[in-house]
Amino acid sequence: MKATMIDDRDNVAVVLGDVKAGDTITVTKNNETRSIIAVSDIPRYHKTSIKLIPAQSPVVKYGEHIGLAAEDIQPGTHVHVHNVLSNREDL
């Protein structure tokens, strides 16, 4: 399955189709690719971690912090509201 990342600072990528645990995800940025193994099911257009994201560390998508890891997030894990905390200060 293919996934894409936009910025060198990203620690997540967006999968372009439904992924099942155990599938190989090919992450592409520009002309560079790397592969990771999905450790959980990931719905199409959702995020997967591309490297370890330690608990309380920023989750970065498109070069922007989108929240904090609620727990250690292993590579190939579905990244969504169940393991990302909001860190918005303007609520």
Side-chain angles (χ1 to χ4, degrees):
M1 182 52 54
K2 293 183 179 180
T4 189
M5 59 181 280
I6 301 298
D7 193 280
D8 288 331
R9 296 170 289 184
D10 292 355
N11 55 16
V12 298
V14 176
V15 298
L16 303 178
D18 292 334
V19 174
K20 297 290 183 190
D23 287 353
T24 299
I25 302 170
T26 303
V27 180
T28 303
K29 180 191 171 291
N30 299 327
N31 292 325
E32 297 178 27
T33 61
R34 69 174 104 172
S35 295
I36 56 175
I37 303 299
V39 297
S40 58
D41 293 348
I42 307 166
R44 178 176 50 174
Y45 304 135
H46 280 233
K47 298 171 294 298
T48 184
S49 55
I50 57 173
K51 56 185 166 184
L52 173 66
I53 306 172
Q56 299 303 311
S57 295
V59 175
V60 183
K61 177 182 174 187
Y62 305 148
E64 299 293 329
H65 292 197
I66 61 169
L68 298 174
E71 58 194 39
D72 288 348
I73 304 174
Q74 300 297 321
T77 300
H78 181 206
V79 177
H80 200 52
V81 297
H82 65 281
N83 56 7
V84 177
L85 304 170
S86 173
N87 65 336
R88 291 186 58 189
E89 297 177 1
D90 61 346
L91 296 176

